[in-house]
Amino acid sequence: MNIGSKIRFHRQKRNLTQEELSKGIISVSYLSKLENNQVTPSDDIIELLCERLGVSSLQSDGQKLNQLLEKWNHSLLWKNLQEAESYHEQIKRQLEDTDDLTPQLYYQILCVRFQLIHSNLDRARNNLVHIHAHYKELSDTLRFYYHKYKGNYYYLLQQYEKARAELKEAETYYVLGSVVNEEERADLYYLFSLVLTRLNVYRLAIYYGEKSLSIFQGVYFQKRCAEVHLLLGICYRRIRYSEEALKHYEWANFISMSINYNSLNSMVEQNLGYLKSVMNKSEEAILHYLRSIELKESDVEGKLNSILALVKEYFKLNQFNQVRYWLPEGLKLCSRDVFPDKYYQLTYYHYALNDFPDGFEHFMKEHTLPYFKENGEQLLYAEYSKFFGQYYQGVRKYKNAAFHLKEANSIYEEMLSL
Protein backbone atom coordinates (compact mmCIF):
# COMPACT_ATOMS: atom_id res chain seq x y z
CA MET A 1 0.00 0.00 0.00
CA ASN A 2 1.39 3.44 -0.96
CA ILE A 3 2.54 5.88 1.71
CA GLY A 4 0.07 8.54 0.54
CA SER A 5 -2.90 6.20 0.93
CA LYS A 6 -1.80 5.35 4.46
CA ILE A 7 -1.46 9.03 5.36
CA ARG A 8 -4.98 9.76 4.12
CA PHE A 9 -6.34 6.75 6.02
CA HIS A 10 -4.80 7.84 9.35
CA ARG A 11 -5.79 11.48 8.81
CA GLN A 12 -9.43 10.50 8.25
CA LYS A 13 -9.29 8.03 11.12
CA ARG A 14 -8.31 10.91 13.45
CA ASN A 15 -10.86 13.32 11.89
CA LEU A 16 -8.17 15.77 10.80
CA THR A 17 -8.64 18.09 7.82
CA GLN A 18 -5.86 18.44 5.26
CA GLU A 19 -5.25 21.93 6.59
CA GLU A 20 -4.81 20.65 10.15
CA LEU A 21 -2.40 17.91 9.16
CA SER A 22 -0.28 19.95 6.74
CA LYS A 23 0.00 23.16 8.79
CA GLY A 24 3.64 24.10 9.33
CA ILE A 25 4.91 21.01 7.48
CA ILE A 26 3.83 21.17 3.83
CA SER A 27 1.24 22.98 1.75
CA VAL A 28 -2.33 21.69 1.49
CA SER A 29 -1.91 21.19 -2.26
CA TYR A 30 1.23 19.11 -1.71
CA LEU A 31 -0.55 16.98 0.89
CA SER A 32 -3.42 16.46 -1.55
CA LYS A 33 -0.97 15.24 -4.19
CA LEU A 34 0.79 13.08 -1.61
CA GLU A 35 -2.48 11.45 -0.49
CA ASN A 36 -3.31 10.69 -4.12
CA ASN A 37 0.16 9.10 -4.56
CA GLN A 38 1.22 11.69 -7.14
CA VAL A 39 4.42 12.70 -5.31
CA THR A 40 7.00 10.90 -3.15
CA PRO A 41 7.74 12.75 0.13
CA SER A 42 11.10 12.94 1.84
CA ASP A 43 11.81 10.93 4.98
CA ASP A 44 11.74 14.14 7.03
CA ILE A 45 8.23 15.02 5.83
CA ILE A 46 7.01 11.47 6.55
CA GLU A 47 8.47 11.66 10.06
CA LEU A 48 6.75 15.00 10.78
CA LEU A 49 3.40 13.77 9.42
CA CYS A 50 3.69 10.56 11.46
CA GLU A 51 4.33 12.61 14.60
CA ARG A 52 1.22 14.72 14.01
CA LEU A 53 -0.85 11.64 13.18
CA GLY A 54 0.35 9.93 16.33
CA VAL A 55 1.77 6.89 14.58
CA SER A 56 5.26 5.50 14.92
CA SER A 57 5.76 4.42 11.34
CA LEU A 58 3.97 3.95 8.04
CA GLN A 59 6.14 1.02 7.05
CA SER A 60 5.21 -1.64 9.63
CA ASP A 61 4.81 -5.29 8.66
CA GLY A 62 1.19 -6.48 8.92
CA GLN A 63 1.85 -10.11 7.96
CA LYS A 64 1.14 -11.59 11.41
CA LEU A 65 -1.95 -9.45 11.81
CA ASN A 66 -3.19 -10.51 8.37
CA GLN A 67 -2.82 -14.15 9.41
CA LEU A 68 -4.88 -13.46 12.51
CA LEU A 69 -7.51 -11.74 10.36
CA GLU A 70 -7.66 -14.83 8.12
CA LYS A 71 -8.30 -17.01 11.18
CA TRP A 72 -11.07 -14.67 12.32
CA ASN A 73 -12.60 -14.77 8.86
CA HIS A 74 -12.53 -18.58 8.85
CA SER A 75 -14.22 -18.72 12.27
CA LEU A 76 -16.96 -16.37 11.06
CA LEU A 77 -17.51 -18.45 7.94
CA TRP A 78 -17.92 -21.63 10.00
CA LYS A 79 -20.02 -19.75 12.59
CA ASN A 80 -17.60 -20.73 15.39
CA LEU A 81 -18.63 -17.61 17.26
CA GLN A 82 -16.79 -18.29 20.52
CA GLU A 83 -13.53 -18.87 18.67
CA ALA A 84 -14.26 -15.83 16.49
CA GLU A 85 -14.67 -13.63 19.56
CA SER A 86 -11.26 -14.70 20.88
CA TYR A 87 -9.60 -13.80 17.57
CA HIS A 88 -11.51 -10.52 17.46
CA GLU A 89 -10.11 -9.40 20.82
CA GLN A 90 -6.54 -10.23 19.74
CA ILE A 91 -7.00 -8.34 16.48
CA LYS A 92 -8.33 -5.20 18.17
CA ARG A 93 -5.26 -5.09 20.43
CA GLN A 94 -2.83 -5.57 17.56
CA LEU A 95 -4.51 -3.00 15.35
CA GLU A 96 -3.45 -0.32 17.81
CA ASP A 97 0.19 -1.17 17.09
CA THR A 98 0.09 -1.20 13.30
CA ASP A 99 0.04 1.64 10.84
CA ASP A 100 -0.42 -0.60 7.80
CA LEU A 101 -3.57 0.34 5.90
CA THR A 102 -4.21 -3.13 4.44
CA PRO A 103 -5.04 -4.96 7.70
CA GLN A 104 -7.05 -1.92 8.86
CA LEU A 105 -9.25 -2.15 5.76
CA TYR A 106 -9.41 -5.96 5.91
CA TYR A 107 -10.56 -5.67 9.52
CA GLN A 108 -13.32 -3.23 8.61
CA ILE A 109 -14.49 -5.49 5.79
CA LEU A 110 -14.63 -8.47 8.15
CA CYS A 111 -16.54 -6.34 10.64
CA VAL A 112 -19.28 -6.17 8.00
CA ARG A 113 -19.47 -9.99 8.01
CA PHE A 114 -19.47 -9.97 11.83
CA GLN A 115 -22.26 -7.38 11.94
CA LEU A 116 -24.38 -9.23 9.37
CA ILE A 117 -24.13 -12.44 11.41
CA HIS A 118 -25.44 -10.48 14.39
CA SER A 119 -28.15 -8.74 12.29
CA ASN A 120 -26.70 -5.27 12.92
CA LEU A 121 -27.50 -3.84 9.50
CA ASP A 122 -27.04 -0.17 10.47
CA ARG A 123 -23.45 -0.69 11.61
CA ALA A 124 -22.77 -2.87 8.57
CA ARG A 125 -24.01 -0.06 6.30
CA ASN A 126 -21.79 2.50 8.04
CA ASN A 127 -18.75 0.26 7.61
CA LEU A 128 -19.54 -0.30 3.93
CA VAL A 129 -19.76 3.45 3.38
CA HIS A 130 -16.38 3.97 5.07
CA ILE A 131 -14.73 1.18 3.08
CA HIS A 132 -16.14 2.56 -0.18
CA ALA A 133 -14.27 5.82 0.51
CA HIS A 134 -11.03 3.79 0.34
CA TYR A 135 -12.11 1.55 -2.54
CA LYS A 136 -9.17 2.41 -4.80
CA GLU A 137 -6.77 1.32 -2.02
CA LEU A 138 -8.33 -2.16 -1.84
CA SER A 139 -6.47 -5.07 -3.38
CA ASP A 140 -8.42 -7.38 -5.70
CA THR A 141 -8.68 -9.89 -2.84
CA LEU A 142 -10.18 -7.29 -0.50
CA ARG A 143 -12.53 -6.18 -3.27
CA PHE A 144 -13.76 -9.77 -3.46
CA TYR A 145 -14.65 -9.73 0.23
CA TYR A 146 -16.10 -6.21 0.03
CA HIS A 147 -18.49 -7.06 -2.83
CA LYS A 148 -19.39 -10.44 -1.33
CA TYR A 149 -20.44 -9.01 2.01
CA LYS A 150 -22.15 -6.05 0.34
CA GLY A 151 -24.16 -8.59 -1.66
CA ASN A 152 -25.03 -10.36 1.58
CA TYR A 153 -26.08 -7.00 3.07
CA TYR A 154 -28.43 -6.28 0.15
CA TYR A 155 -29.85 -9.80 0.38
CA LEU A 156 -30.80 -9.22 4.01
CA LEU A 157 -32.43 -5.94 2.96
CA GLN A 158 -34.41 -7.93 0.34
CA GLN A 159 -32.88 -5.82 -2.44
CA TYR A 160 -32.17 -8.85 -4.57
CA GLU A 161 -31.15 -7.23 -7.87
CA LYS A 162 -28.54 -5.13 -6.06
CA ALA A 163 -27.36 -8.24 -4.22
CA ARG A 164 -27.01 -10.10 -7.50
CA ALA A 165 -24.91 -7.30 -9.03
CA GLU A 166 -22.56 -7.20 -6.02
CA LEU A 167 -22.09 -10.98 -6.00
CA LYS A 168 -21.29 -10.89 -9.71
CA GLU A 169 -18.55 -8.37 -8.94
CA ALA A 170 -17.29 -10.62 -6.15
CA GLU A 171 -17.13 -13.55 -8.55
CA THR A 172 -14.94 -11.48 -10.87
CA TYR A 173 -12.58 -10.39 -8.09
CA TYR A 174 -12.34 -13.95 -6.77
CA VAL A 175 -10.45 -14.72 -9.98
CA LEU A 176 -8.56 -11.42 -10.23
CA GLY A 177 -7.51 -11.59 -6.58
CA SER A 178 -6.37 -15.22 -6.85
CA VAL A 179 -8.35 -16.09 -3.71
CA VAL A 180 -7.28 -19.61 -2.73
CA ASN A 181 -9.94 -20.28 -0.10
CA GLU A 182 -12.40 -22.73 -1.66
CA GLU A 183 -14.80 -22.36 1.27
CA GLU A 184 -15.20 -18.67 0.42
CA ARG A 185 -16.06 -19.60 -3.17
CA ALA A 186 -18.62 -22.11 -1.92
CA ASP A 187 -20.12 -19.48 0.38
CA LEU A 188 -20.28 -17.03 -2.55
CA TYR A 189 -22.08 -19.62 -4.71
CA TYR A 190 -24.51 -20.37 -1.88
CA LEU A 191 -25.31 -16.67 -1.52
CA PHE A 192 -25.76 -16.47 -5.30
CA SER A 193 -28.17 -19.39 -5.16
CA LEU A 194 -30.18 -17.75 -2.36
CA VAL A 195 -30.47 -14.48 -4.27
CA LEU A 196 -31.42 -16.17 -7.55
CA THR A 197 -34.07 -18.22 -5.77
CA ARG A 198 -35.59 -14.99 -4.45
CA LEU A 199 -35.55 -13.65 -8.00
CA ASN A 200 -37.32 -16.83 -9.20
CA VAL A 201 -34.38 -17.72 -11.48
CA TYR A 202 -34.49 -21.32 -10.34
CA ARG A 203 -32.37 -23.12 -12.91
CA LEU A 204 -29.45 -20.75 -12.44
CA ALA A 205 -29.95 -20.98 -8.68
CA ILE A 206 -29.64 -24.77 -8.98
CA TYR A 207 -26.42 -24.36 -10.98
CA TYR A 208 -24.77 -22.27 -8.25
CA GLY A 209 -26.28 -24.39 -5.48
CA GLU A 210 -24.82 -27.60 -6.94
CA LYS A 211 -21.38 -25.98 -7.27
CA SER A 212 -21.59 -24.78 -3.68
CA LEU A 213 -22.69 -28.19 -2.40
CA SER A 214 -19.82 -29.95 -4.12
CA ILE A 215 -17.25 -27.77 -2.33
CA PHE A 216 -18.95 -27.93 1.09
CA GLN A 217 -19.11 -31.72 0.83
CA GLY A 218 -15.38 -31.78 0.10
CA VAL A 219 -14.56 -29.92 3.34
CA TYR A 220 -17.22 -31.76 5.41
CA PHE A 221 -19.10 -28.60 6.28
CA GLN A 222 -22.22 -30.54 7.29
CA LYS A 223 -24.30 -27.61 8.49
CA ARG A 224 -23.92 -25.75 5.23
CA CYS A 225 -24.46 -28.96 3.23
CA ALA A 226 -27.85 -29.34 4.91
CA GLU A 227 -28.72 -25.71 4.09
CA VAL A 228 -27.78 -26.14 0.43
CA HIS A 229 -29.74 -29.40 0.14
CA LEU A 230 -32.81 -27.58 1.48
CA LEU A 231 -32.33 -24.71 -0.98
CA LEU A 232 -31.93 -27.11 -3.90
CA GLY A 233 -35.04 -28.98 -2.81
CA ILE A 234 -37.02 -25.72 -2.88
CA CYS A 235 -35.73 -24.86 -6.36
CA TYR A 236 -36.52 -28.31 -7.77
CA ARG A 237 -40.00 -28.21 -6.22
CA ARG A 238 -40.71 -24.88 -7.83
CA ILE A 239 -39.78 -26.14 -11.28
CA ARG A 240 -41.88 -29.26 -10.55
CA TYR A 241 -39.08 -31.83 -10.36
CA SER A 242 -40.70 -33.53 -7.38
CA GLU A 243 -38.46 -36.59 -7.16
CA GLU A 244 -35.28 -34.50 -7.27
CA ALA A 245 -36.74 -32.15 -4.66
CA LEU A 246 -37.61 -35.09 -2.40
CA LYS A 247 -34.06 -36.42 -2.65
CA HIS A 248 -32.56 -33.11 -1.48
CA TYR A 249 -35.12 -32.68 1.31
CA GLU A 250 -34.37 -36.15 2.63
CA TRP A 251 -30.63 -35.43 2.67
CA ALA A 252 -31.26 -32.10 4.43
CA ASN A 253 -33.46 -33.89 6.96
CA PHE A 254 -30.91 -36.61 7.60
CA ILE A 255 -28.00 -34.20 8.08
CA SER A 256 -29.91 -31.66 10.20
CA MET A 257 -31.18 -34.42 12.52
CA SER A 258 -27.72 -35.98 12.83
CA ILE A 259 -26.12 -32.68 13.93
CA ASN A 260 -29.14 -31.47 15.99
CA TYR A 261 -29.73 -28.50 13.71
CA ASN A 262 -33.33 -28.11 14.86
CA SER A 263 -34.09 -24.76 13.24
CA LEU A 264 -33.18 -26.12 9.81
CA ASN A 265 -34.89 -29.45 10.56
CA SER A 266 -38.13 -27.55 11.15
CA MET A 267 -37.80 -25.79 7.78
CA VAL A 268 -37.12 -29.09 6.05
CA GLU A 269 -40.27 -30.59 7.61
CA GLN A 270 -42.20 -27.54 6.44
CA ASN A 271 -40.97 -27.93 2.87
CA LEU A 272 -41.53 -31.68 2.88
CA GLY A 273 -45.11 -30.85 3.78
CA TYR A 274 -45.38 -28.50 0.79
CA LEU A 275 -43.96 -31.15 -1.51
CA LYS A 276 -46.23 -33.93 -0.25
CA SER A 277 -49.18 -31.58 -0.68
CA VAL A 278 -48.22 -30.96 -4.32
CA MET A 279 -47.93 -34.73 -4.75
CA ASN A 280 -51.51 -35.09 -3.37
CA LYS A 281 -50.29 -36.90 -0.26
CA SER A 282 -52.22 -34.71 2.15
CA GLU A 283 -52.05 -36.97 5.20
CA GLU A 284 -48.25 -37.15 4.94
CA ALA A 285 -48.12 -33.37 4.39
CA ILE A 286 -50.09 -32.77 7.58
CA LEU A 287 -47.73 -34.96 9.62
CA HIS A 288 -44.75 -32.94 8.35
CA TYR A 289 -46.45 -29.64 9.21
CA LEU A 290 -47.26 -30.82 12.73
CA ARG A 291 -43.68 -31.99 13.21
CA SER A 292 -42.47 -28.60 11.97
CA ILE A 293 -44.59 -26.78 14.55
CA GLU A 294 -43.13 -28.96 17.33
CA LEU A 295 -39.58 -28.05 16.28
CA LYS A 296 -40.12 -24.32 15.88
CA GLU A 297 -40.58 -23.49 19.57
CA SER A 298 -40.01 -19.70 19.79
CA ASP A 299 -39.89 -19.10 16.02
CA VAL A 300 -43.19 -17.23 15.67
CA GLU A 301 -42.99 -16.62 11.92
CA GLY A 302 -41.93 -20.20 11.25
CA LYS A 303 -44.79 -21.53 13.36
CA LEU A 304 -47.18 -19.21 11.52
CA ASN A 305 -46.01 -20.61 8.17
CA SER A 306 -46.79 -24.15 9.33
CA ILE A 307 -50.19 -23.17 10.72
CA LEU A 308 -51.11 -21.48 7.45
CA ALA A 309 -50.04 -24.59 5.55
CA LEU A 310 -52.16 -26.76 7.88
CA VAL A 311 -55.19 -24.53 7.34
CA LYS A 312 -54.79 -24.86 3.57
CA GLU A 313 -54.37 -28.62 3.72
CA TYR A 314 -57.32 -29.23 6.04
CA PHE A 315 -59.48 -26.91 3.93
CA LYS A 316 -58.55 -28.88 0.81
CA LEU A 317 -59.63 -32.08 2.60
CA ASN A 318 -62.91 -30.45 3.77
CA GLN A 319 -61.87 -31.11 7.37
CA PHE A 320 -63.46 -27.88 8.53
CA ASN A 321 -63.35 -28.66 12.25
CA GLN A 322 -59.54 -28.74 12.01
CA VAL A 323 -59.62 -25.47 10.04
CA ARG A 324 -61.72 -23.89 12.80
CA TYR A 325 -59.15 -25.03 15.37
CA TRP A 326 -56.01 -23.82 13.58
CA LEU A 327 -57.33 -20.64 11.94
CA PRO A 328 -57.65 -18.65 15.23
CA GLU A 329 -54.24 -19.98 16.31
CA GLY A 330 -52.73 -18.41 13.20
CA LEU A 331 -54.67 -15.14 13.37
CA LYS A 332 -53.45 -14.62 16.97
CA LEU A 333 -49.89 -14.43 15.63
CA CYS A 334 -50.37 -11.89 12.84
CA SER A 335 -52.11 -8.69 11.76
CA ARG A 336 -51.99 -6.17 8.91
CA ASP A 337 -48.84 -4.76 10.53
CA VAL A 338 -47.22 -7.99 11.75
CA PHE A 339 -46.66 -10.67 9.08
CA PRO A 340 -49.31 -9.05 6.83
CA ASP A 341 -48.94 -11.61 4.01
CA LYS A 342 -49.94 -14.39 6.43
CA TYR A 343 -52.76 -12.24 7.81
CA TYR A 344 -54.30 -11.72 4.36
CA GLN A 345 -54.07 -15.40 3.51
CA LEU A 346 -55.57 -16.60 6.77
CA THR A 347 -58.33 -13.98 6.53
CA TYR A 348 -59.21 -15.31 3.06
CA TYR A 349 -59.80 -18.74 4.63
CA HIS A 350 -61.86 -17.12 7.37
CA TYR A 351 -64.15 -15.71 4.67
CA ALA A 352 -64.14 -19.01 2.75
CA LEU A 353 -65.02 -20.99 5.89
CA ASN A 354 -68.06 -18.76 6.38
CA ASP A 355 -69.30 -18.95 2.74
CA PHE A 356 -67.87 -15.58 1.70
CA PRO A 357 -70.04 -13.10 3.65
CA ASP A 358 -70.43 -9.40 2.88
CA GLY A 359 -67.13 -7.56 2.75
CA PHE A 360 -65.22 -10.38 1.04
CA GLU A 361 -65.01 -8.76 -2.42
CA HIS A 362 -63.94 -5.43 -0.93
CA PHE A 363 -61.31 -7.18 1.20
CA MET A 364 -59.83 -8.95 -1.84
CA LYS A 365 -59.97 -6.04 -4.29
CA GLU A 366 -58.90 -3.26 -1.96
CA HIS A 367 -56.51 -4.99 0.42
CA THR A 368 -55.32 -8.54 -0.29
CA LEU A 369 -54.48 -8.46 -4.01
CA PRO A 370 -53.07 -4.89 -3.97
CA TYR A 371 -50.82 -5.82 -1.03
CA PHE A 372 -49.41 -8.88 -2.82
CA LYS A 373 -48.91 -6.95 -6.06
CA GLU A 374 -47.29 -3.88 -4.50
CA ASN A 375 -44.89 -5.98 -2.42
CA GLY A 376 -43.71 -8.16 -5.29
CA GLU A 377 -45.39 -11.33 -3.98
CA GLN A 378 -46.08 -12.64 -7.48
CA LEU A 379 -46.88 -16.23 -6.57
CA LEU A 380 -49.26 -15.17 -3.82
CA TYR A 381 -50.86 -12.65 -6.15
CA ALA A 382 -51.37 -15.44 -8.69
CA GLU A 383 -52.68 -17.93 -6.12
CA TYR A 384 -55.26 -15.58 -4.63
CA SER A 385 -56.23 -14.12 -8.01
CA LYS A 386 -57.08 -17.68 -9.02
CA PHE A 387 -59.15 -18.15 -5.86
CA PHE A 388 -60.92 -14.84 -6.50
CA GLY A 389 -61.63 -15.84 -10.09
CA GLN A 390 -63.09 -19.15 -8.91
CA TYR A 391 -65.27 -17.28 -6.42
CA TYR A 392 -66.60 -15.05 -9.22
CA GLN A 393 -67.34 -18.14 -11.31
CA GLY A 394 -69.40 -19.48 -8.42
CA VAL A 395 -71.49 -16.31 -8.21
CA ARG A 396 -71.76 -16.12 -12.04
CA LYS A 397 -69.79 -12.91 -12.50
CA TYR A 398 -67.96 -14.32 -15.47
CA LYS A 399 -66.28 -11.13 -16.69
CA ASN A 400 -64.65 -10.62 -13.29
CA ALA A 401 -63.79 -14.31 -13.14
CA ALA A 402 -62.05 -14.20 -16.53
CA PHE A 403 -59.97 -11.17 -15.52
CA HIS A 404 -58.61 -12.67 -12.31
CA LEU A 405 -58.01 -16.14 -13.79
CA LYS A 406 -56.08 -14.51 -16.65
CA GLU A 407 -53.99 -12.56 -14.13
CA ALA A 408 -53.08 -15.80 -12.36
CA ASN A 409 -52.32 -17.75 -15.52
CA SER A 410 -50.00 -15.08 -16.93
CA ILE A 411 -47.86 -15.20 -13.78
CA TYR A 412 -47.74 -19.00 -13.69
CA GLU A 413 -46.65 -19.08 -17.34
CA GLU A 414 -43.91 -16.54 -16.61
CA MET A 415 -42.68 -18.60 -13.66
CA LEU A 416 -42.49 -21.76 -15.78
CA SER A 417 -40.41 -19.98 -18.44
CA LEU A 418 -37.67 -18.93 -16.00
Side-chain angles (χ1 to χ4, degrees):
M1 195 67 65
N2 292 322
I3 292 291
S5 298
K6 294 180 181 180
I7 289 171
R8 180 173 62 182
F9 174 81
H10 287 289
R11 176 178 64 78
Q12 292 176 343
K13 182 179 178 181
R14 287 159 179 77
N15 295 316
L16 294 174
T17 65
Q18 287 186 327
E19 288 81 2
E20 289 169 334
L21 177 58
S22 62
K23 186 176 181 180
I25 301 175
I26 51 177
S27 67
V28 174
S29 61
Y30 187 87
L31 177 59
S32 179
K33 291 179 181 179
L34 171 56
E35 289 188 350
N36 286 293
N37 301 302
Q38 295 173 353
V39 294
T40 302
S42 67
D43 291 342
D44 290 340
I45 289 175
I46 292 174
E47 185 177 344
L48 289 169
L49 291 173
C50 283
E51 183 178 346
R52 186 160 292 172
L53 288 168
V55 298
S56 58
S57 170
L58 293 174
Q59 320 242 355
S60 59
D61 181 11
Q63 184 176 359
K64 290 183 179 179
L65 180 55
N66 280 329
Q67 290 173 350
L68 199 56
L69 286 162
E70 287 290 350
K71 291 178 180 179
W72 187 37
N73 189 28
H74 185 267
S75 297
L76 292 174
L77 173 63
W78 283 71
K79 302 290 179 67
N80 294 331
L81 299 185
Q82 187 173 355
E83 180 182 83
E85 186 58 35
S86 173
Y87 286 131
H88 193 192
E89 291 302 317
Q90 295 178 59
I91 289 165
K92 286 190 288 187
R93 289 195 295 270
Q94 291 199 25
L95 279 172
E96 296 298 321
D97 300 325
T98 183
D99 302 313
D100 193 338
L101 181 58
T102 298
Q104 298 275 2
L105 290 173
Y106 190 16
Y107 170 72
Q108 290 176 21
I109 291 171
L110 293 185
C111 279
V112 174
R113 169 174 260 180
F114 177 80
Q115 288 148 4
L116 294 179
I117 289 171
H118 291 86
S119 301
N120 196 330
L121 299 185
D122 288 339
R123 292 188 66 183
R125 182 190 65 247
N126 292 337
N127 258 354
L128 287 168
V129 169
H130 180 76
I131 296 161
H132 182 73
H134 296 277
Y135 187 80
K136 66 181 181 180
E137 277 92 46
L138 298 180
S139 66
D140 287 339
T141 300
L142 291 188
R143 288 182 182 185
F144 160 73
Y145 288 120
Y146 168 74
H147 287 293
K148 178 169 174 278
Y149 304 148
K150 194 173 182 182
N152 196 353
Y153 168 75
Y154 280 130
Y155 172 77
L156 293 173
L157 288 180
Q158 300 180 14
Q159 297 180 19
Y160 302 122
E161 286 293 355
K162 288 184 177 181
R164 182 180 187 175
E166 292 296 334
L167 296 177
K168 196 65 183 174
E169 285 291 297
E171 190 174 26
T172 299
Y173 281 108
Y174 182 87
V175 176
L176 293 176
S178 300
V179 180
V180 296
N181 191 334
E182 281 287 280
E183 296 161 29
E184 287 290 351
R185 186 159 64 99
D187 193 48
L188 172 66
Y189 291 156
Y190 175 63
L191 278 171
F192 238 134
S193 189
L194 282 172
V195 169
L196 292 165
T197 300
R198 293 291 190 174
L199 292 170
N200 304 318
V201 187
Y202 299 121
R203 287 176 173 82
L204 192 55
I206 289 169
Y207 168 77
Y208 278 105
E210 295 282 7
K211 291 177 71 172
S212 171
L213 180 61
S214 176
I215 298 171
F216 283 135
Q217 287 173 331
V219 296
Y220 301 102
F221 197 163
Q222 293 290 75
K223 185 175 182 180
R224 190 52 61 83
C225 285
E227 293 169 350
V228 180
H229 275 301
L230 173 58
L231 183 60
L232 288 170
I234 291 169
C235 290
Y236 278 115
R237 175 176 62 81
R238 289 183 178 171
I239 62 173
R240 301 185 181 183
Y241 283 35
S242 297
E243 293 303 320
E244 196 68 20
L246 183 59
K247 180 185 77 174
H248 284 288
Y249 286 151
E250 287 176 344
W251 270 111
N253 219 7
F254 173 77
I255 297 170
S256 60
M257 290 175 67
S258 67
I259 61 175
N260 297 316
Y261 192 177
N262 287 341
S263 59
L264 188 80
N265 192 198
S266 69
M267 289 189 281
V268 176
E269 291 287 351
Q270 174 83 26
N271 281 278
L272 275 167
Y274 287 149
L275 180 61
K276 294 300 176 70
S277 177
V278 169
M279 297 169 74
N280 294 315
K281 297 180 179 180
S282 291
E283 296 301 329
E284 291 183 40
I286 287 168
L287 291 175
H288 286 300
Y289 294 142
L290 291 171
R291 172 65 176 152
S292 180
I293 291 173
E294 289 176 11
L295 290 165
K296 277 168 180 169
E297 299 174 349
S298 60
D299 179 6
V300 175
E301 185 175 13
K303 190 173 291 187
L304 187 53
N305 284 330
S306 295
I307 291 172
L308 173 59
L310 271 176
V311 166
K312 291 182 177 182
E313 208 63 38
Y314 282 128
F315 194 89
K316 184 169 73 175
L317 295 173
N318 297 323
Q319 295 184 18
F320 299 125
N321 285 336
Q322 291 289 351
V323 176
R324 288 188 179 93
Y325 173 80
W326 286 104
L327 192 56
E329 293 295 311
L331 286 170
K332 282 192 297 189
L333 301 176
C334 60
S335 67
R336 290 187 183 185
D337 298 317
V338 180
F339 309 125
D341 60 319
K342 311 299 186 304
Y343 168 79
Y344 288 120
Q345 292 181 77
L346 287 167
T347 304
Y348 165 83
Y349 282 98
H350 172 76
Y351 277 112
L353 190 62
N354 293 284
D355 296 323
F356 304 109
D358 291 344
F360 170 69
E361 291 185 24
H362 177 80
F363 173 76
M364 292 295 288
K365 286 190 293 187
E366 302 299 326
H367 299 286
T368 302
L369 294 179
Y371 174 83
F372 292 149
K373 193 167 191 176
E374 290 165 10
N375 287 276
E377 299 282 3
Q378 284 186 291
L379 290 175
L380 288 177
Y381 180 76
E383 181 180 358
Y384 286 85
S385 289
K386 182 183 75 173
F387 291 161
F388 204 21
Q390 291 169 342
Y391 159 80
Y392 275 128
Q393 282 181 329
V395 297
R396 299 184 179 182
K397 294 183 179 180
Y398 299 117
K399 185 176 180 180
N400 289 340
F403 172 79
H404 288 290
L405 292 173
K406 184 179 178 182
E407 286 277 281
N409 287 335
S410 64
I411 292 173
Y412 287 138
E413 287 172 5
E414 182 183 347
M415 292 297 101
L416 286 173
S417 68
L418 292 173

